[in-house]
Amino acid sequence: MTETSIENTTLVKPEFTQEEYKQRRQRAAALMKSQGIDALVLNSEANNRYFTGHATGRWLNRTRPIFLIITKEAAATILCSTKSEQDTALMTTGGGCEIKVFGGTGHDLNPGLKGLVDELQALGLSKARVAAELGIHHRPQLPPLAFDWLRAALPQMILEDGSDLLWRVRAIKSAGEIGYMKTAIGITHRMYDKVPEWLGTAKTEREVFTRVGLDLLTLGGETVGYRCVNTVGQPWDGGYTDRSIRRDSVIFIDACCSVAGYWSDFCRVFAVGAPTPDEEDTYKRLWDITSEEIAAVRPGMTINQLYSAARGSTERMTSGALPTLGRVGHSIGLEIVEPPSICAEQDWVIEPGMVLCIEPSLTTSSGNQLVAEEMVAVRENGAELLTRRAPERIRRV
């Protein structure tokens, strides 16, 4: 393989300082050492970007693999195809990363897999414990058979799951990461602020879905992610349908956008005309539950303790009703939904720097689902609200 020095290229403006990328790799290396892991082998866009600053559209080509190896000494090597060499050098801003290029046309996985095996052998890892993105929430850009091939090629190497290690590193956000999320949140707020200007004349959920996405991009979002537009009272389908928006409809919109890869994610509810008393009552109860869940957040408590607090608020305010989503929030960052989810099964300890989407839900007495969502950053003394709270009553158009 050939090597490219990023020191001799003209770099684009980095998203973070080189020191921050190094600190991220050092945190991962410290966890590797504590767990007896010798290296990480990564093949997903988000982890590559997180540890190196490498952002490229090449991830869209699933036959042109990009690999990142991080050793327990915090050294990092990016492996890419010849076709990706130039933009990899230009887009990698992490400092201290080697870029090595394997051959092939870029339309066959085999050269990339062979290049990965060669590099692992060169690094003395052919008999090591190596962790990869094999577990919860991870989707590496390799088919499952590729991992079988890798195990066969290096039969003495122990290939195991590194998901827990990776998520624990990424769960704590820096000031810069939170800054990008605040920018994305501001764009999303401006989109929601515009909704009353046009929602009253929208004819279908599809029209709302399209307008929300266009406004997020026009207002400065780099990428539009999950969008749910739903007429409350209709079956919960997610996304949108061609259902007509009629007078006295309550419209639930859940939307998000990214800036420098970092996401916003929160919902708002609007009424075209007048909501029913049942909808108004459920919305207000949900608003109060959300307030109590935000107030309950503090470092040192566990995720399931936070879930229990939100569940207790729900039961107290609704005579025993439970959250309808099965969870009451999730972490967020380079991906819209990151571990941990705020649910009964998670015993993660909440730490300063975590960013959480607080997302309780309720069902009206007539069986219609309502969801609330706000974003908070965990600080030493509790939660910092990153979003501007939803109005206490359903906003009428």
Side-chain angles (χ1 to χ4, degrees), residues 52-64:
T52 71
H54 181 203
T56 172
R58 299 284 184 180
W59 292 103
L60 295 174
N61 188 333
R62 295 184 180 275
T63 62
R64 191 171 291 161

Side-chain angles (χ1 to χ4, degrees), residues 296-302 349-352 378-383:
V297 175
R298 67 182 187 277
M301 73 187 310
T302 60
V349 175
I350 295 174
E351 300 179 62
V378 181
R379 302 303 188 189
E380 295 289 347
N381 59 349

Side-chain angles (χ1 to χ4, degrees), residues 288-297 306-307 309-310 313 328-329 342 357-360:
D288 290 338
I289 291 166
T290 306
S291 297
E292 292 196 6
E293 185 177 349
I294 292 171
V297 175
L306 178 58
Y307 172 81
S313 297
V328 293
I342 305 175
C357 291
I358 301 299
E359 192 178 14

Side-chain angles (χ1 to χ4, degrees), residues 40-45 58-69 79 102 106-117 120 130-135 138-151 157 159:
L40 294 170
V41 172
L42 308 176
N43 178 241
S44 69
E45 180 177 8
R58 299 284 184 180
W59 292 103
L60 295 174
N61 188 333
R62 295 184 180 275
T63 62
R64 191 171 291 161
I66 300 171
F67 299 103
L68 172 63
I69 301 173
L79 309 176
F102 49 78
H107 299 288
D108 185 351
L109 287 175
N110 290 333
L113 291 171
K114 183 179 184 304
L116 175 62
V117 168
L120 290 170
V130 174
E133 303 147 308
L134 303 179
H138 278 120
R139 301 294 186 273
Q141 299 228 157
L142 285 176
L145 291 177
F147 291 102
D148 293 340
W149 187 92
L150 184 60
R151 289 186 177 96
M157 183 182 75
L159 186 63

